[in-house]
Amino acid sequence: MMATILSGVTWTIALSLTALAIGIILGGVLCAMRTSGVALLDFAATVLILAFRSVPPIVWLFLIYFGIGSGIVQVSPFQAAAIGLGLITGANMAEIFRGSLKAIHPGQGEAARALSMPPVWRMVDVIIPQLMRISLPSVVSYGIGLLKDTAIASTIGVPEIAFKASHVSQVTFRGLESFAFAGALYILLSVPIALASREIDQRLRARVAK
Amino acid sequence: MPEDDALMHILPSQTSSGSQRVMVEVAGLCKDFGAHRVLDNIHLTVDPGEVIAIIGPSGSGKSTLLRCINLLERPSAGAIRVGDVEIDAFRKITRRELLAFRRPIGMVFQSFNLFPHLSVLRNVSIAQERVLKRSREEADAVSRQLLERVGLGSKADQYPARCSGGQQQRIAIARALALEPELMLFDEPTSALDPELGLEVLNVMQELATAGMTMIVVTHEMHFAESVSNRVIIMADGKIIEEGPSVQVMRSPHSERAKQFLGAVLNR
């Protein structure tokens, strides 16, 4: 029983990481659009963020898997879940990045401009490293939330922890044990991530702290 | 390529061969923030090697003038020439022009603005690599030399947060010098420092002035204005109200407004 549920861990981790990766890239793009100063891009990003966030995750998954993914384009349950969760994550990352950007002193960009650094290098050398440090705690806590939210991927058949637990409980009629074990697995996955994040955050903070 | 030309510039003392051309020329410069006119028809020329102090009450437009000279603020009207590059407020400035225009200008800020995530050495090196296309080894070697020059060779591997304000500002000066500027702009470089730490910075600036650097310094340090700079400009309400040789302007200003300002800052 335990072995079966354990075999879902890989899927849970893979789905979380994929959705997070999609989300970070998409969030970076959306944040760039939001702060570009170009009204049309800003508006487009605002609408997309609103759409991604307003529709519940499970509706996104069904929409992608049963709606779009069953027509001309065929998507696997994993792909549908990764895209759906990735879109929602992207919208939230965009807002996290935008908030972090505001926390960077405007003098940083000015100093880079005064040094006549080209725009790309201003971003790569000066802004993005600081953005990553400032947004790390929010990104990680969102990531932990995401890890738990991957459970809804069981509804479209991704064989992750919750899906396996549900399967085992139906076969063995031992619902309490199955889901308790699944719950414990989520805790075991989340806690080390939280601890690691705190450690990294403190190290980075020590470097810039007075 | 502007980058290649830039490599040829060393110190202003060496560029003075040939015609003694005016280095900075500001003509009819205006800056509006909404309906508020912050700079009103400013005219200013700076010769190579000259040190100019800009003083005046808060809100008089001193910092804005300085920030317009390297286009951190876009002028609303007027023209600015630095070295061989001229820009006009009425013409659109391309990205390439902007980089070429700023290339010979170094700037030091009131709030230092060092990059907190980079070591002191990397702070000084990074722009050399990106702008002058120096290798990391070359850039680091230049940086170590400059850090020695401002008395901070031992701080190279620290992070800026581990340095005092005075040290941070000297690092910021080294960072600007690393790009071999022909003109240095100082925006209240000692205003965020206590008097003792401010002195460290003023000493470095004085040394730079002696070495022949062209400098425009917005400051509240009256002693520096009188004794180090060649020329003092007093601004009030977005206008230059008094301008001339330092001692003359500081000791015997003509206008009432200038007398009032100097009376307030000198007799305290």
Side-chain angles (χ1 to χ4, degrees), chain B residues 223-240:
Chain B
H223 182 73
F224 180 90
E226 185 169 335
S227 61
V228 179
S229 66
N230 309 111
R231 202 144 46 99
V232 170
I233 288 172
I234 304 181
M235 288 184 69
D237 305 319
K239 295 186 180 72
I240 293 178

Side-chain angles (χ1 to χ4, degrees), chain B residues 211-227:
Chain B
M213 179 61 77
T214 313
M215 295 161 61
I216 304 177
V217 185
V218 169
T219 188
H220 293 294
E221 303 275 356
M222 295 303 143
H223 182 73
F224 180 90
E226 185 169 335
S227 61

Side-chain angles (χ1 to χ4, degrees), chain B residues 12-13 20 23 46-52 182 209 212-215 230:
Chain B
S13 53
Q20 263 282 6
M23 174 169 291
V46 185
D47 290 329
E50 210 178 4
V51 178
I52 293 189
E182 296 171 45
M213 179 61 77
T214 313
M215 295 161 61
N230 309 111

Side-chain angles (χ1 to χ4, degrees), chain B residues 138-159:
Chain B
E138 279 178 284
D140 283 351
V142 172
S143 302
R144 286 189 192 280
Q145 228 173 340
L146 282 164
L147 287 170
E148 287 297 339
R149 185 170 162 195
V150 298
L152 292 171
S154 60
K155 289 280 178 185
D157 301 316
Q158 296 275 8
Y159 281 88

Side-chain angles (χ1 to χ4, degrees), chain B residues 31 63 72 80-81 139 142 147 177 187 198 210 212 225 240 250 261:
Chain B
K31 174 67 184 176
S63 287
L72 281 182
I80 304 172
R81 180 177 66 75
V142 172
L147 287 170
L177 290 178
D187 188 7
T210 312
I240 293 178
M250 300 295 286
F261 171 72

Side-chain angles (χ1 to χ4, degrees), chain B residues 2-265:
Chain B
E3 281 88 354
D4 296 328
D5 292 344
L7 284 169
M8 308 301 286
H9 303 312
I10 310 292
L11 270 176
S13 53
Q14 284 160 294
T15 58
S16 59
S17 60
S19 60
Q20 263 282 6
R21 203 171 171 215
V22 170
M23 174 169 291
V24 183
E25 207 174 336
V26 176
L29 179 68
C30 297
K31 174 67 184 176
D32 302 316
F33 285 121
H36 181 55
R37 176 147 285 197
V38 189
L39 291 177
D40 190 4
N41 197 24
I42 300 285
H43 290 268
L44 171 70
T45 58
V46 185
D47 290 329
E50 210 178 4
V51 178
I52 293 189
I54 304 179
I55 60 175
S58 302
S60 59
K62 311 180 294 284
S63 287
T64 307
L65 171 58
L66 205 66
R67 291 164 60 82
C68 278
I69 292 178
N70 74 351
L71 298 180
L72 281 182
E73 302 286 355
R74 293 300 178 89
S76 307
I80 304 172
R81 180 177 66 75
V82 175
D84 298 324
V85 191
E86 181 164 359
I87 60 101
D88 192 303
F90 295 116
R91 225 186 60 237
K92 193 173 162 18
I93 305 165
T94 65
R95 187 172 286 182
R96 182 182 286 255
E97 277 179 302
L98 191 61
L99 288 179
F101 184 84
R102 285 190 183 131
R103 187 55 278 288
I105 309 173
M107 184 158 189
V108 173
F109 300 87
Q110 179 178 355
S111 52
F112 326 136
N113 298 345
L114 292 178
F115 306 132
H117 58 294
L118 298 177
S119 71
V120 167
L121 188 69
R122 298 303 300 154
N123 260 278
V124 185
S125 292
I126 193 87
Q128 298 179 55
E129 290 168 35
R130 304 307 184 218
V131 178
L132 301 181
K133 313 282 181 214
R134 284 181 181 152
S135 72
R136 187 164 180 152
E137 292 73 30
E138 279 178 284
D140 283 351
V142 172
S143 302
R144 286 189 192 280
Q145 228 173 340
L146 282 164
L147 287 170
E148 287 297 339
R149 185 170 162 195
V150 298
L152 292 171
S154 60
K155 289 280 178 185
D157 301 316
Q158 296 275 8
Y159 281 88
R162 291 268 170 276
C163 302
S164 73
Q167 290 169 337
Q168 290 194 43
Q169 193 61 297
R170 282 142 69 200
I171 296 161
I173 293 173
R175 179 175 70 174
L177 290 178
L179 297 181
E180 294 162 2
E182 296 171 45
L183 168 69
M184 283 286 285
L185 308 176
F186 292 85
D187 188 7
E188 302 196 24
T190 58
S191 296
L193 302 171
D194 69 45
E196 202 178 2
L197 296 179
L199 195 62
E200 297 174 357
V201 174
L202 289 172
N203 286 338
V204 170
M205 289 168 64
Q206 170 147 29
E207 194 194 301
L208 207 56
T210 312
M213 179 61 77
T214 313
M215 295 161 61
I216 304 177
V217 185
V218 169
T219 188
H220 293 294
E221 303 275 356
M222 295 303 143
H223 182 73
F224 180 90
E226 185 169 335
S227 61
V228 179
S229 66
N230 309 111
R231 202 144 46 99
V232 170
I233 288 172
I234 304 181
M235 288 184 69
D237 305 319
K239 295 186 180 72
I240 293 178
I241 56 166
E242 192 96 21
E243 179 180 6
S246 303
V247 177
Q248 187 195 309
V249 170
M250 300 295 286
R251 298 275 170 84
S252 42
H254 300 296
S255 71
E256 272 314 307
R257 185 69 187 86
K259 279 177 197 166
Q260 185 195 330
F261 171 72
L262 285 169
V265 292

